[in-house]
Protein backbone atom coordinates (compact mmCIF):
# COMPACT_ATOMS: atom_id res chain seq x y z
CA UNK A 1 0.00 0.00 0.00
CA UNK A 2 1.39 3.39 -0.97
CA UNK A 3 0.07 6.81 -1.89
CA UNK A 4 1.44 9.44 -4.18
CA UNK A 5 2.36 12.78 -2.63
CA UNK A 6 -1.06 14.40 -2.96
CA UNK A 7 -0.33 17.33 -0.65
CA UNK A 8 2.84 19.07 0.49
CA UNK A 9 2.72 21.79 3.13
CA UNK A 10 5.98 23.60 3.82
CA UNK A 11 7.33 26.81 5.27
CA UNK A 12 8.76 28.14 8.54
CA UNK A 13 7.55 27.03 11.95
CA UNK A 14 6.95 30.69 12.81
CA UNK A 15 6.59 33.84 10.78
CA UNK A 16 9.43 35.90 12.28
CA UNK A 17 9.82 38.82 9.88
CA UNK A 18 8.57 39.94 6.48
CA UNK A 19 12.01 39.26 5.00
CA UNK A 20 12.18 35.73 6.41
CA UNK A 21 8.69 34.81 5.19
CA UNK A 22 9.17 36.20 1.67
CA UNK A 23 12.66 34.71 1.31
CA UNK A 24 11.38 31.26 2.26
CA UNK A 25 8.48 31.62 -0.18
CA UNK A 26 10.84 32.75 -2.95
CA UNK A 27 12.96 29.63 -2.51
CA UNK A 28 9.92 27.35 -2.51
CA UNK A 29 8.01 29.01 -5.36
CA UNK A 30 9.40 26.66 -8.03
CA UNK A 31 8.57 23.48 -6.08
CA UNK A 32 5.68 22.13 -8.16
CA UNK A 33 4.61 19.63 -5.47
CA UNK A 34 3.94 22.42 -2.95
CA UNK A 35 0.25 22.70 -2.07
CA UNK A 36 0.37 25.26 0.75
CA UNK A 37 2.97 27.63 2.13
CA UNK A 38 2.78 27.42 5.94
CA UNK A 39 3.87 29.83 8.64
CA UNK A 40 2.77 29.99 12.27
CA UNK A 41 1.25 33.39 13.07
CA UNK A 42 0.19 32.46 16.61
CA UNK A 43 2.28 29.90 18.50
CA UNK A 44 0.73 28.27 21.60
CA UNK A 45 3.55 27.75 24.11
CA UNK A 46 3.74 25.97 27.45
CA UNK A 47 5.82 28.58 29.27
CA UNK A 48 4.96 32.29 29.41
CA UNK A 49 7.64 34.49 27.96
CA UNK A 50 8.36 32.14 25.05
CA UNK A 51 7.90 33.46 21.52
CA UNK A 52 4.17 33.08 20.92
CA UNK A 53 4.06 34.30 17.34
CA UNK A 54 4.23 37.62 15.56
CA UNK A 55 0.44 37.97 15.57
CA UNK A 56 -1.88 39.67 13.12
CA UNK A 57 0.94 41.58 11.40
CA UNK A 58 2.18 38.30 9.90
CA UNK A 59 -1.08 37.79 8.01
CA UNK A 60 -0.09 40.69 5.77
CA UNK A 61 3.14 38.86 4.94
CA UNK A 62 1.17 35.75 3.95
CA UNK A 63 -0.94 37.92 1.67
CA UNK A 64 2.27 39.14 0.02
CA UNK A 65 3.31 35.51 -0.49
CA UNK A 66 0.05 34.88 -2.31
CA UNK A 67 0.37 37.95 -4.51
CA UNK A 68 4.10 37.79 -5.23
CA UNK A 69 4.63 34.04 -5.68
CA UNK A 70 1.08 32.75 -6.36
CA UNK A 71 1.31 30.32 -3.47
CA UNK A 72 -1.64 29.23 -1.37
CA UNK A 73 -1.19 29.86 2.36
CA UNK A 74 -2.12 28.06 5.58
CA UNK A 75 -1.70 28.85 9.27
CA UNK A 76 -2.78 27.58 12.68
CA UNK A 77 -5.82 28.97 14.49
CA UNK A 78 -6.71 28.43 18.14
CA UNK A 79 -9.62 30.84 18.69
CA UNK A 80 -12.60 32.22 16.76
CA UNK A 81 -10.79 35.58 16.69
CA UNK A 82 -7.87 33.94 14.86
CA UNK A 83 -10.33 32.49 12.36
CA UNK A 84 -11.95 35.87 11.74
CA UNK A 85 -8.60 37.59 11.16
CA UNK A 86 -7.46 34.84 8.77
CA UNK A 87 -10.66 35.07 6.74
CA UNK A 88 -10.34 38.85 6.55
CA UNK A 89 -6.81 38.40 5.14
CA UNK A 90 -7.77 35.67 2.63
CA UNK A 91 -5.69 32.85 4.12
CA UNK A 92 -6.42 29.80 1.94
CA UNK A 93 -6.55 27.04 4.58
CA UNK A 94 -6.41 26.60 8.35
CA UNK A 95 -5.08 23.97 10.71
CA UNK A 96 -6.06 23.16 14.28
CA UNK A 97 -3.07 22.49 16.54
CA UNK A 98 -2.54 19.54 18.86
CA UNK A 99 -3.06 21.65 22.00
CA UNK A 100 -6.44 22.77 20.65
CA UNK A 101 -7.63 19.36 19.40
CA UNK A 102 -7.29 18.03 22.93
CA UNK A 103 -10.13 20.33 24.11
CA UNK A 104 -13.57 19.67 22.53
CA UNK A 105 -14.87 23.07 23.71
CA UNK A 106 -12.15 24.91 21.76
CA UNK A 107 -12.73 22.73 18.69
CA UNK A 108 -16.47 23.42 18.80
CA UNK A 109 -15.91 27.18 19.05
CA UNK A 110 -13.67 27.15 15.99
CA UNK A 111 -16.05 24.90 14.08
CA UNK A 112 -18.97 27.24 14.91
CA UNK A 113 -16.97 30.23 13.66
CA UNK A 114 -16.47 28.47 10.29
CA UNK A 115 -20.07 27.43 9.74
CA UNK A 116 -21.00 28.26 6.16
CA UNK A 117 -17.40 29.03 5.17
CA UNK A 118 -15.88 27.06 2.31
CA UNK A 119 -12.26 26.63 3.42
CA UNK A 120 -10.05 23.53 3.87
CA UNK A 121 -9.45 22.60 7.51
CA UNK A 122 -6.64 20.36 8.74
CA UNK A 123 -6.83 18.86 12.25
CA UNK A 124 -3.67 17.78 14.06
CA UNK A 125 -3.86 14.81 16.40
CA UNK A 126 -4.29 15.61 20.11
CA UNK A 127 -1.19 15.50 22.29
CA UNK A 128 -2.33 12.27 23.92
CA UNK A 129 -2.81 9.08 21.86
CA UNK A 130 -6.60 9.29 22.04
CA UNK A 131 -8.11 8.41 18.67
CA UNK A 132 -11.57 9.21 20.06
CA UNK A 133 -10.66 12.88 20.60
CA UNK A 134 -9.28 13.05 17.08
CA UNK A 135 -12.42 11.49 15.57
CA UNK A 136 -14.62 13.74 17.67
CA UNK A 137 -12.89 16.84 16.33
CA UNK A 138 -13.43 15.66 12.74
CA UNK A 139 -17.11 15.01 13.39
CA UNK A 140 -17.65 18.45 14.96
CA UNK A 141 -16.63 20.12 11.70
CA UNK A 142 -18.50 17.69 9.47
CA UNK A 143 -21.72 18.12 11.46
CA UNK A 144 -21.61 21.83 10.63
CA UNK A 145 -21.33 21.11 6.92
CA UNK A 146 -17.59 21.73 6.66
CA UNK A 147 -16.71 18.96 4.22
CA UNK A 148 -13.10 19.69 3.24
CA UNK A 149 -11.49 18.25 6.37
CA UNK A 150 -8.10 16.51 6.50
CA UNK A 151 -5.90 15.52 9.43
CA UNK A 152 -2.23 15.94 10.30
CA UNK A 153 -0.36 13.22 12.16
CA UNK A 154 2.38 14.89 14.23
CA UNK A 155 3.08 12.20 16.82
CA UNK A 156 2.11 12.03 20.48
CA UNK A 157 3.60 13.41 23.66
CA UNK A 158 5.63 10.99 25.78
CA UNK A 159 7.58 11.38 29.03
CA UNK A 160 10.05 8.77 27.80
CA UNK A 161 13.03 10.12 25.90
CA UNK A 162 13.66 8.12 22.75
CA UNK A 163 14.75 8.73 19.19
CA UNK A 164 11.59 10.75 18.43
CA UNK A 165 10.44 14.03 19.93
CA UNK A 166 6.82 12.84 19.60
CA UNK A 167 6.56 9.05 19.06
CA UNK A 168 4.48 8.41 15.91
CA UNK A 169 2.44 5.47 17.24
CA UNK A 170 1.55 4.62 13.64
CA UNK A 171 -1.31 2.36 14.74
CA UNK A 172 -3.34 5.45 15.73
CA UNK A 173 -3.53 7.08 12.26
CA UNK A 174 -4.03 3.60 10.74
CA UNK A 175 -7.06 3.10 13.00
CA UNK A 176 -8.33 6.57 12.08
CA UNK A 177 -8.11 5.66 8.39
CA UNK A 178 -10.21 2.55 8.97
CA UNK A 179 -12.92 4.71 10.56
CA UNK A 180 -12.75 7.42 7.85
CA UNK A 181 -11.54 5.67 4.64
CA UNK A 182 -11.89 8.82 2.49
CA UNK A 183 -9.98 11.01 4.96
CA UNK A 184 -6.67 12.46 3.79
CA UNK A 185 -3.89 12.03 6.36
CA UNK A 186 -0.86 14.33 6.21
CA UNK A 187 2.26 13.32 8.14
CA UNK A 188 4.26 15.97 10.01
CA UNK A 189 7.75 14.42 10.31
CA UNK A 190 9.17 17.67 11.69
CA UNK A 191 7.25 17.35 14.95
CA UNK A 192 7.53 13.56 15.08
CA UNK A 193 11.30 13.58 14.85
CA UNK A 194 12.31 16.94 16.31
CA UNK A 195 15.47 16.40 14.27
CA UNK A 196 16.01 17.56 10.70
CA UNK A 197 18.35 14.62 10.02
CA UNK A 198 15.53 12.09 10.50
CA UNK A 199 12.86 13.80 8.42
CA UNK A 200 13.58 12.08 5.11
CA UNK A 201 13.35 8.52 6.44
CA UNK A 202 10.20 9.18 8.45
CA UNK A 203 8.64 10.89 5.42
CA UNK A 204 9.38 7.85 3.27
CA UNK A 205 7.94 5.48 5.86
CA UNK A 206 4.78 7.59 6.17
CA UNK A 207 4.27 7.34 2.43
CA UNK A 208 4.85 3.59 2.63
CA UNK A 209 1.99 3.38 5.11
CA UNK A 210 -0.30 5.08 2.60
CA UNK A 211 -0.43 8.61 3.97
CA UNK A 212 -1.50 11.29 1.53
CA UNK A 213 1.03 14.04 2.10
CA UNK A 214 3.61 15.75 4.26
CA UNK A 215 3.95 18.91 6.34
CA UNK A 216 7.63 19.83 6.69
CA UNK A 217 8.98 22.90 8.46
CA UNK A 218 11.36 24.87 6.25
CA UNK A 219 13.54 27.86 7.08
CA UNK A 220 16.28 29.59 5.05
CA UNK A 221 18.52 29.68 8.15
CA UNK A 222 17.32 26.96 10.57
CA UNK A 223 19.92 27.62 13.26
CA UNK A 224 18.64 31.19 13.56
CA UNK A 225 14.98 30.19 13.82
CA UNK A 226 13.05 31.64 16.76
CA UNK A 227 11.26 28.33 17.38
CA UNK A 228 11.95 24.63 16.72
CA UNK A 229 15.32 25.29 15.08
CA UNK A 230 16.44 21.64 15.29
CA UNK A 231 13.59 20.30 13.20
CA UNK A 232 13.55 22.76 10.30
CA UNK A 233 15.27 22.10 6.98
CA UNK A 234 16.59 24.50 4.39
CA UNK A 235 14.46 24.88 1.23
CA UNK A 236 17.10 23.13 -0.87
CA UNK A 237 17.06 20.17 1.53
CA UNK A 238 13.27 20.01 1.32
CA UNK A 239 13.52 19.75 -2.46
CA UNK A 240 15.97 16.85 -2.10
CA UNK A 241 13.58 15.04 0.26
CA UNK A 242 10.62 15.55 -2.07
CA UNK A 243 12.65 14.42 -5.08
CA UNK A 244 13.73 11.25 -3.26
CA UNK A 245 10.13 10.43 -2.33
CA UNK A 246 8.72 11.09 -5.80
CA UNK A 247 11.50 9.16 -7.56
CA UNK A 248 11.12 6.17 -5.21
CA UNK A 249 7.35 5.95 -5.56
CA UNK A 250 7.53 2.70 -7.52
CA UNK A 251 9.61 1.09 -4.77
CA UNK A 252 7.45 2.13 -1.83
CA UNK A 253 4.90 -0.69 -2.00
CA UNK A 254 4.11 -2.26 1.36
CA UNK A 255 2.07 -5.45 1.49
CA UNK A 256 -0.87 -6.39 3.66
CA UNK A 257 1.33 -8.99 5.37
CA UNK A 258 3.87 -6.30 6.27
CA UNK A 259 1.10 -4.12 7.77
CA UNK A 260 -0.06 -7.14 9.78
CA UNK A 261 3.52 -7.71 10.96
CA UNK A 262 3.81 -4.06 12.08
CA UNK A 263 0.53 -4.30 13.98
CA UNK A 264 1.80 -7.50 15.57
CA UNK A 265 4.90 -5.69 16.77
CA UNK A 266 2.71 -3.01 18.31
CA UNK A 267 0.60 -5.67 20.07
CA UNK A 268 3.74 -7.42 21.36
CA UNK A 269 5.08 -4.11 22.64
CA UNK A 270 1.79 -3.44 24.41
CA UNK A 271 1.93 -6.92 25.95
CA UNK A 272 5.46 -6.40 27.25
CA UNK A 273 4.45 -3.05 28.71
CA UNK A 274 1.49 -4.63 30.52
CA UNK A 275 3.80 -7.30 31.94
CA UNK A 276 6.12 -4.59 33.28
CA UNK A 277 3.16 -2.77 34.85
CA UNK A 278 1.99 -6.03 36.44
CA UNK A 279 5.50 -6.71 37.79
CA UNK A 280 5.66 -3.20 39.20
CA UNK A 281 2.30 -3.68 40.96
CA UNK A 282 3.57 -6.91 42.53
CA UNK A 283 6.67 -5.12 43.82
CA UNK A 284 4.48 -2.33 45.25
CA UNK A 285 2.38 -4.98 47.05
CA UNK A 286 5.52 -6.58 48.48
CA UNK A 287 6.71 -3.22 49.79
CA UNK A 288 3.28 -2.57 51.35
CA UNK A 289 3.26 -6.02 53.01
CA UNK A 290 6.84 -5.52 54.23
CA UNK A 291 5.92 -2.18 55.82
CA UNK A 292 2.81 -3.70 57.39
CA UNK A 293 4.79 -6.58 58.90
CA UNK A 294 7.44 -4.21 60.27
CA UNK A 295 4.75 -1.99 61.74
CA UNK A 296 2.98 -4.95 63.44
CA UNK A 297 6.32 -6.24 64.74
CA UNK A 298 7.13 -2.84 66.23
CA UNK A 299 3.69 -2.62 67.88
CA UNK A 300 4.01 -6.14 69.36
CA UNK A 301 7.48 -5.36 70.71
CA UNK A 302 6.17 -2.21 72.40
CA UNK A 303 3.25 -4.13 73.94
CA UNK A 304 5.55 -6.89 75.26
CA UNK A 305 7.67 -4.30 77.02
Amino acid sequence: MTNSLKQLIAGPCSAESREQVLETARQLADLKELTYFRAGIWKPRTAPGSFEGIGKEGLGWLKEVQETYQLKTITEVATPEHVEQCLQNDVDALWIGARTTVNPFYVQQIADSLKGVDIPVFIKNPLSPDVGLWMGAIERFKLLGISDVSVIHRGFFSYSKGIFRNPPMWEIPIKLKTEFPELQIICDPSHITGDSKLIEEVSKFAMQLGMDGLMIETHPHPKEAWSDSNQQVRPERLKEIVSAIVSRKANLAITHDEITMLRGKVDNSDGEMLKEIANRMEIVKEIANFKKEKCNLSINNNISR
Side-chain angles (χ1 to χ4, degrees):
M1 179 174 63
T2 182
N3 278 9
S4 60
L5 187 60
K6 296 175 183 174
Q7 299 212 52
L8 175 64
I9 303 170
C13 173
S14 301
E16 300 164 1
S17 68
R18 176 177 176 272
E19 291 73 23
Q20 171 244 12
V21 168
L22 292 177
E23 175 59 19
T24 310
R26 183 189 69 78
Q27 294 191 43
L28 296 179
D30 63 347
L31 184 57
K32 67 180 189 308
E33 290 85 3
L34 187 65
T35 312
Y36 293 104
F37 177 87
R38 62 148 287 160
I41 302 299
W42 301 278
K43 301 296 297 180
R45 295 298 181 198
T46 303
S50 303
F51 175 61
E52 296 184 327
I54 205 73
K56 185 177 179 180
E57 180 185 3
L59 295 173
W61 307 338
L62 292 185
K63 202 170 186 67
E64 283 193 69
V65 168
Q66 293 170 320
E67 295 169 351
T68 305
Y69 300 107
Q70 289 74 57
L71 295 175
K72 291 184 177 180
T73 60
I74 182 171
T75 196
E76 178 179 350
V77 292
T79 69
E81 290 75 19
H82 293 168
V83 171
E84 182 180 358
Q85 291 174 19
C86 286
L87 296 178
Q88 289 172 352
N89 285 273
D90 300 320
V91 175
D92 295 291
L94 307 173
W95 86 76
I96 314 301
R99 287 178 172 85
T100 304
T101 306
V102 78
N103 190 315
F105 292 110
Y106 294 163
V107 173
Q108 188 64 55
Q109 289 172 8
I110 294 171
D112 289 340
S113 69
L114 283 169
K115 185 176 181 179
V117 178
D118 183 20
I119 189 171
V121 175
F122 295 76
I123 305 172
K124 285 199 172 188
N125 60 258
L127 292 173
S128 58
D130 187 339
V131 73
L133 271 177
W134 209 359
M135 289 191 291
I138 296 165
E139 290 166 349
R140 287 176 188 278
F141 283 92
K142 287 189 174 292
L143 285 172
L144 287 171
I146 302 165
S147 59
D148 194 350
V149 177
S150 304
V151 298
I152 299 171
H153 170 230
R154 49 85 74 196
F156 301 88
F157 174 78
S158 173
Y159 286 107
S160 301
K161 290 188 176 181
I163 189 171
F164 296 125
R165 175 183 177 184
N166 294 294
M169 300 185 186
W170 299 106
E171 68 275 16
I172 302 290
I174 289 172
K175 178 174 176 55
L176 188 71
K177 190 71 169 178
T178 63
E179 297 291 334
F180 298 93
E182 302 305 315
L183 186 71
Q184 285 207 354
I185 301 182
I186 312 301
C187 181
D188 177 354
S190 301
H191 278 90
I192 287 174
T193 65
D195 185 343
S196 61
K197 295 187 291 293
L198 301 175
I199 287 175
E200 180 173 346
E201 290 309 311
V202 171
S203 297
K204 288 175 180 176
F205 189 73
M207 299 309 294
Q208 279 184 298
L209 288 180
M211 295 198 180
D212 301 281
L214 300 167
M215 173 185 267
I216 299 178
E217 293 186 343
T218 314
H219 194 293
H221 307 288
K223 290 183 180 179
E224 299 173 13
W226 295 3
S227 57
D228 290 344
S229 59
N230 290 337
Q231 66 190 42
Q232 301 195 62
V233 298
R234 293 178 180 274
E236 57 266 30
R237 176 63 182 135
L238 173 69
K239 293 175 182 179
E240 292 173 354
I241 293 170
V242 172
S243 177
I245 289 170
V246 172
S247 64
R248 285 188 52 183
K249 179 177 179 293
N251 299 319
L252 288 179
I254 185 168
T255 66
H256 175 74
D257 290 342
E258 287 171 314
I259 287 287
T260 302
M261 180 186 69
L262 289 170
R263 287 174 175 163
K265 287 183 178 180
V266 170
D267 291 340
N268 289 337
S269 176
D270 289 344
E272 291 300 319
M273 185 165 48
L274 289 173
K275 286 180 183 178
E276 289 299 321
I277 292 173
N279 288 337
R280 185 180 186 280
M281 290 177 67
E282 288 300 320
I283 293 170
V284 170
K285 287 180 182 177
E286 289 179 17
I287 292 172
N289 289 334
F290 178 77
K291 287 181 176 179
K292 184 177 179 181
E293 290 174 5
K294 284 290 185 182
C295 181
N296 288 337
L297 181 60
S298 174
I299 291 171
N300 290 335
N301 286 339
N302 287 335
I303 290 174
S304 64
R305 288 174 187 172

